[in-house]
Amino acid sequence: MFHSIDVASGEMLYRRDVQKWDEFSTALFQLRQHQQQFAALNATTRTALLQKFAERLADRQECLAEMVCEEVGRCLHECQAELKKSVELIRYYVRLAPELLAHKTIATQASLSQVRFEPLGVVLAVMPWNYPVWQVLRFAIPALCAGNACVVKPAPSVARVTAALFDIIGGDLPVIPAWLSHEDTLKAIEATDAMAFTGSTHTGRRLAAHAGMHLKKTVLELGGSNAFIVMPDADLPQAAKDACYSRFRDAGQSCNAAKRIIVVEAVADQFIPLFLAECAKLKSCHPKDADTTLAPLHREDLRDTVHGQVRDAIEHGADCLMGGEMPAGKGWFYPATVLDRVNPACRVYHEEVFGPVAMILRANNEAHAVELANDSPFGLGAAIYSGNTEQAWQYAEHIQAGSVFINRHTSSDLRLPFGGVKASGYGRELSEFGLYEFVNVKTYWQK
């Protein structure tokens, strides 16, 4: 069952049954016909259709932001930012794609030799609940620019906003939703030409293994446990402010958030009170309240998981400096929680914590801070705060992650590739590199 619940009130907002496989197969057959017609258009014509979609989405962005706020539970201003960035994403690729997809002539001994970027066909996307508009479009827009068709299997708990998004997309673009069961999602991998997945490492491994068995191209954006390194010469007040914002925005339910605050011991006693003071400013209330800065979690079971990780850390020697108690009352709120002296015996040391919990790791020196950053199964992003940017760049080269930010918290930028290494997945989204993930880079050679 696909359904949407108002996270604050518990009210059922929307529900629909799982799609039968025969019904999906018919829709997929029709989509393939549409994809062939769409791919035959030049890139400028395709992006013109996307530009019209951007205009429709801009007109409806406030309504969709309200839906995301109700279904996901994030603060309304955070949901509005998601919609604004989604519109910017479409307009970015409308400007960029025609030039980057143009045929590239390369000088060889041939009379004419070229590289062309041709679509793979139909790409399946299995999407998460935390950014139900942004995540879908981050995958779909570059894939469509290249002439692919897209099938989107949404998370079951954001069905209403997904249906509303597809109403806005309309019939001009070859994109359809797939209201499939988990079992039929595996069949859909076999029936399509490539797959994009955003979600947990556990599920990503299962889907990627099935896709690999059928030789389907995949791009995986999985979990993250980003390091936020505070060097002794850092601007400590700014680092504390940024660490708090990065960790607790979106109720901590972001793969790219700062989750491990690694502080060199020499400044730990100065930094930690500054960080706690910033965390104490957070306000939990209804997500539509303009003053709310820490929203509820998306589901009760997610909150239970986070609380279990916190209790395990305390039992294994971590100090809870604030939070850590399950609150009473309506809504799946969890307090801003800070764990100090986290050690490898704690689950949170190795696991992703998808909620408002920051862990502090104390490093002996700068080199040890980099070692701690790499001592994780994940490798999505990292941040280094230091007054010596030249040295920070040198440390950044040794960090195993898809991105390193210096004197800024990790985030995604339309113009830069986004993705990770190790258990955070592979492949890239956004920028020109994301545009080339779902294309056949095809060589032409004429004697």
Side-chain angles (χ1 to χ4, degrees):
M1 177 68 67
F2 288 82
H3 62 278
S4 297
I5 295 173
D6 187 313
V7 172
S9 70
E11 176 191 357
M12 177 68 71
L13 299 172
Y14 178 93
R15 63 190 301 163
R16 67 184 302 151
D17 291 332
V18 169
Q19 190 175 19
K20 294 181 179 179
W21 178 256
D22 289 346
E23 179 187 346
F24 172 75
S25 295
T26 299
L28 180 60
F29 175 81
Q30 294 170 346
L31 182 67
R32 284 198 177 277
Q33 310 309 307
H34 192 176
Q35 186 271 327
Q36 293 173 10
Q37 299 165 4
F38 186 70
L41 304 174
N42 60 44
T44 301
T45 304
R46 292 197 294 268
T47 54
L49 293 174
L50 288 168
Q51 176 60 36
K52 292 180 180 178
F53 167 49
E55 294 167 1
R56 296 193 298 271
L57 185 62
D59 289 341
R60 294 283 304 279
Q61 61 180 321
E62 286 300 324
C63 176
L64 280 182
E66 292 263 354
M67 288 186 178
V68 175
C69 178
E70 292 166 356
E71 293 176 51
V72 176
R74 289 173 22 233
C75 296
L76 180 58
H77 64 87
E78 294 170 339
C79 302
Q80 290 167 335
E82 175 186 351
L83 267 295
K84 181 180 178 182
K85 191 173 182 179
S86 297
V87 173
E88 291 173 354
L89 168 75
I90 305 170
R91 291 172 175 164
Y92 168 78
Y93 276 112
V94 166
R95 296 190 304 270
L96 187 76
E99 178 182 354
L100 291 179
L101 293 171
H103 306 333
K104 299 189 184 305
T105 300
I106 298 175
T108 67
Q109 69 270 35
S111 62
L112 176 63
S113 49
Q114 285 186 337
V115 172
R116 299 186 180 184
F117 305 101
E118 300 178 358
L120 295 181
V122 177
V123 186
L124 171 70
V126 182
M127 293 285 98
W129 52 262
N130 55 337
Y131 302 100
V133 177
W134 166 251
Q135 299 280 19
V136 169
L137 298 184
R138 191 176 73 185
F139 139 77
I141 298 305
L144 289 167
C145 286
N148 293 291
C150 301
V151 175
V152 177
K153 195 273 185 186
S157 58
V158 288
R160 184 184 63 152
V161 71
T162 301
L165 176 61
F166 274 90
D167 285 343
I168 298 169
I169 291 173
D172 291 340
L173 298 170
V175 190
I176 62 170
W179 307 101
L180 296 174
S181 66
H182 296 313
E183 294 75 15
D184 282 347
T185 299
L186 297 179
K187 293 169 65 176
I189 292 174
E190 301 170 29
T192 52
D193 303 304
M195 182 192 72
F197 172 74
T198 298
S200 71
T201 300
H202 172 77
T203 303
R205 284 194 176 105
R206 182 185 178 196
L207 296 182
H210 195 78
M213 186 167 58
H214 295 276
L215 297 179
K216 307 292 185 177
K217 168 70 185 290
T218 54
V219 170
L220 305 181
E221 199 273 280
L222 307 178
S225 190
N226 289 6
F228 186 103
I229 301 174
V230 183
M231 296 300 194
D233 56 357
D235 180 338
L236 297 183
Q238 186 64 53
K241 182 177 181 179
D242 289 0
C244 177
Y245 171 78
S246 180
R247 183 62 197 105
F248 296 107
R249 66 184 175 91
D250 304 320
Q253 299 174 123
S254 169
C255 59
N256 203 29
K259 297 190 174 89
R260 296 176 297 139
I261 316 299
I262 301 173
V263 188
V264 174
E265 189 71 65
V267 294
D269 290 340
Q270 297 169 259
F271 171 81
I272 292 173
L274 295 171
F275 179 59
L276 292 174
E278 292 294 332
C279 297
K281 298 176 185 177
L282 296 168
K283 179 180 178 182
S284 292
C285 197
H286 194 286
K288 288 187 179 181
D289 189 319
D291 295 330
T292 300
T293 51
L294 185 60
L297 273 70
H298 179 56
R299 296 195 312 264
E300 184 177 16
D301 63 303
L302 299 175
R303 184 176 66 167
D304 290 342
T305 296
V306 168
H307 188 58
Q309 290 172 308
V310 169
R311 302 315 303 170
D312 171 85
I314 294 171
E315 290 169 7
H316 287 89
D319 296 331
C320 186
L321 303 184
M322 67 182 301
E325 297 294 333
M326 189 78 82
K330 184 177 290 187
W332 299 308
F333 289 94
Y334 198 77
T337 299
V338 179
L339 300 172
D340 189 16
R341 302 189 185 278
V342 170
N343 60 76
C346 306
R347 284 171 51 197
V348 296
Y349 190 94
H350 308 282
E351 297 176 359
E352 178 178 25
V353 183
F354 217 61
V357 178
M359 65 191 91
I360 296 176
L361 307 177
R362 296 175 181 239
N364 299 328
N365 50 45
E366 293 91 332
H368 186 219
V370 174
E371 290 178 18
L372 288 174
N374 289 333
D375 190 20
S376 169
F378 300 102
L380 187 56
I384 301 174
Y385 278 69
S386 172
N388 187 337
T389 54
E390 182 178 351
Q391 190 175 59
W393 276 81
Q394 294 173 2
Y395 287 125
E397 293 177 353
H398 295 282
I399 290 179
Q400 300 160 1
S403 66
V404 180
F405 283 59
I406 296 173
N407 292 328
R408 191 186 187 280
H409 59 83
T410 49
S411 62
S412 61
D413 187 307
L414 304 176
R415 299 159 294 186
L416 296 172
F418 179 76
V421 296
K422 302 197 292 187
S424 291
Y426 51 75
R428 293 296 179 264
E429 296 179 306
L430 303 179
S431 79
E432 61 185 281
F433 300 98
L435 185 65
Y436 295 139
E437 283 288 358
F438 293 114
V439 298
N440 175 15
V441 183
K442 189 173 177 180
T443 295
Y444 286 82
W445 197 98
Q446 176 181 308
K447 185 174 179 180

